[in-house]
Amino acid sequence: MQQSYEPAALAEMAAFAAIAEARSFTKAAARIGRDATILSRRLASLEERLGVRLLHRTTRSVSLTEAGSEFLVRVRAILAAVDEAEAAASAHAGGGPRGVLRLALPGSFGRMWIAPLLPQFLAEFPDVRIEAEFSNRFVDLVAENFDVAVRLGALEDSRLVARKVATRRRLLCAAPSYLARRGTPTEPEALLEHSCLGFSGFQTFPAWEMTDSSGRRVSIEVSGPLVTDDAEVLVEAAVQGVGLMMSTDWLVGRELADGRLVPVLEDWTLADEGAVYVVMPSAKGQAAKTRAFADWIGKRFAPAPRGGWGGGSAPPLRGRGRRGLLRGPRRVERQRRLS
């Protein structure tokens, strides 16, 4: 039968070991900073619980019984293991980054903007091993034991510590070939005469809501030849001139940078611009690996608002890595966070 030890039992064993090694209640008390009467009570409690005398004590001396000698060997091993466990745990908080770092990353954004950076992080922090989940489901960091998550859009969980690492905004865009063929809209109402690619993951779909500099707000119900819950499909369609697209700058940053897509109705602001956040379960007792990743990724993303997603100073894009923004249940509920 396995014995489980309460904190009081460990305190009793520590008292016994201190007395046995010092061969004196007074010297043991001075060594560990406890009153001698407290050590005496703990020893008496331990002997009563075990049903055996561990120490012979007189007014002048303390010596081990046979049972005490055997018990001391095991107690030393137990206390050493506890010290080792505490030291290892403390190293995660106060020492260098180490251990398994569990990351929850949004699918497309994570693959495009974070995956290319992970090898650099591992090279800089060789004692860290990463377990990354690239998924568009809304994970519970606390319940699912994740160390860090990257989230897009609005944050609603007050249990989490959040750090904004980059801005992101929505925009309308189209291929130059489409605009040459169909013309460039100058007012939102003109969208009614255009082929608009529909992302069904937006909460307001099929309406595109936007506001001008004077505060005038309009909502246009668009239509077009293609509707899907996979934003990557819409990017490809837009590049090939199928229609206008509402997108997020990080998703089409490369296409905008190389001219395959161009912004449309730039004087209008689309609803829900949001930001990119690194979120963690708690700031208290935060492991060094968690702090290191949050600091590191924040520095890597800092140029993005200035250089633009896909611009020269933004994090590098390597390969498309696109498999859709939103899939599975609760898609509409999550769109503000993931798009």
Side-chain angles (χ1 to χ4, degrees):
M1 177 178 176
Q2 183 177 359
Q3 175 71 51
S4 61
Y5 292 105
E6 299 294 332
L10 290 174
E12 291 170 359
M13 286 188 283
F16 161 71
I19 298 166
E21 290 167 357
R23 294 297 198 269
S24 165
F25 283 86
T26 303
K27 291 179 181 179
R31 181 182 297 176
I32 66 175
R34 291 287 188 272
D35 189 270
T37 57
I38 294 176
L39 298 187
S40 180
R41 286 199 298 268
R42 289 178 177 174
L43 175 61
S45 176
L46 177 61
E47 290 178 328
E48 182 179 357
R49 180 161 57 83
L50 297 178
V52 64
R53 181 174 290 276
L54 300 173
L55 294 173
H56 296 299
R57 46 234 191 231
T58 68
T59 55
R60 294 185 179 182
S61 66
V62 173
S63 61
L64 286 161
T65 66
E66 183 179 357
S69 296
E70 294 179 0
F71 188 61
L72 180 60
V73 173
R74 290 167 172 78
V75 165
R76 281 172 172 163
I78 292 171
L79 296 178
V82 170
D83 288 342
E84 183 180 349
E86 290 181 346
S90 296
H92 284 271
R98 56 179 296 181
V100 178
L101 178 68
R102 300 197 69 231
L103 303 178
L105 306 173
S108 292
F109 182 89
R111 287 187 291 270
M112 291 175 63
W113 291 100
I114 300 178
L117 302 177
L118 294 183
Q120 301 171 33
F121 178 82
L122 291 172
E124 188 168 337
F125 301 99
D127 292 330
V128 175
R129 182 168 65 86
I130 289 176
E131 291 182 1
E133 177 178 311
F134 293 82
S135 171
N136 293 317
R137 70 186 185 88
F138 189 70
V139 303
D140 185 328
L141 268 69
V142 177
E144 299 182 54
N145 196 32
F146 281 100
D147 297 299
V148 184
V150 172
R151 288 186 177 167
L152 313 176
L155 299 178
E156 300 174 357
D157 194 336
S158 61
R159 298 175 301 167
L160 304 178
V161 176
R163 180 184 302 182
K164 180 179 176 181
V165 295
T167 59
R168 71 113 171 93
R169 66 184 180 88
R170 288 190 181 146
L171 72 157
L172 300 180
C173 57
S177 61
Y178 174 86
L179 299 177
R181 186 173 72 252
R182 298 287 300 272
T184 300
T186 57
E187 295 291 334
E189 289 78 8
L191 295 173
L192 296 172
E193 306 301 321
H194 280 266
S195 297
C196 297
L197 306 175
F199 179 53
S200 58
F202 284 138
Q203 192 173 30
T204 60
F205 176 80
W208 288 358
E209 297 178 351
M210 55 197 79
T211 307
D212 69 4
S213 58
S214 67
R216 182 167 76 95
R217 188 172 184 175
V218 299
S219 179
I220 306 296
E221 289 201 7
V222 298
S223 61
L226 178 61
V227 175
T228 179
D229 65 350
D230 191 329
E232 303 292 347
V233 172
L234 298 183
V235 174
E236 297 296 342
V239 167
Q240 294 183 40
V242 176
L244 288 151
M245 178 186 182
M246 177 192 285
S247 186
T248 310
D249 54 358
W250 64 260
L251 180 64
V252 293
R254 181 175 54 188
E255 288 79 4
L256 292 171
D258 63 20
R260 284 180 291 161
L261 294 175
V262 296
V264 175
L265 295 175
E266 292 184 84
D267 293 335
W268 291 79
T269 300
L270 274 66
D272 187 25
E273 292 195 1
V276 180
Y277 295 91
V278 170
V279 296
M280 296 151 283
S282 173
K284 184 178 181 181
Q286 201 172 81
K289 62 184 178 181
T290 302
R291 293 196 307 272
F293 184 81
D295 293 342
W296 192 88
I297 206 70
K299 291 176 183 177
R300 295 305 182 279
F301 275 66
R306 297 192 298 272
W309 297 99
S313 61
L317 284 172
R318 299 177 184 173
R320 298 201 62 81
R322 289 175 167 166
R323 282 181 272 170
L325 270 176
L326 299 174
R327 291 176 180 160
R330 298 178 62 190
R331 181 181 63 246
V332 172
E333 179 182 342
R334 298 197 311 273
Q335 64 85 26
R336 290 192 304 114
R337 302 185 182 95
L338 299 181
S339 57

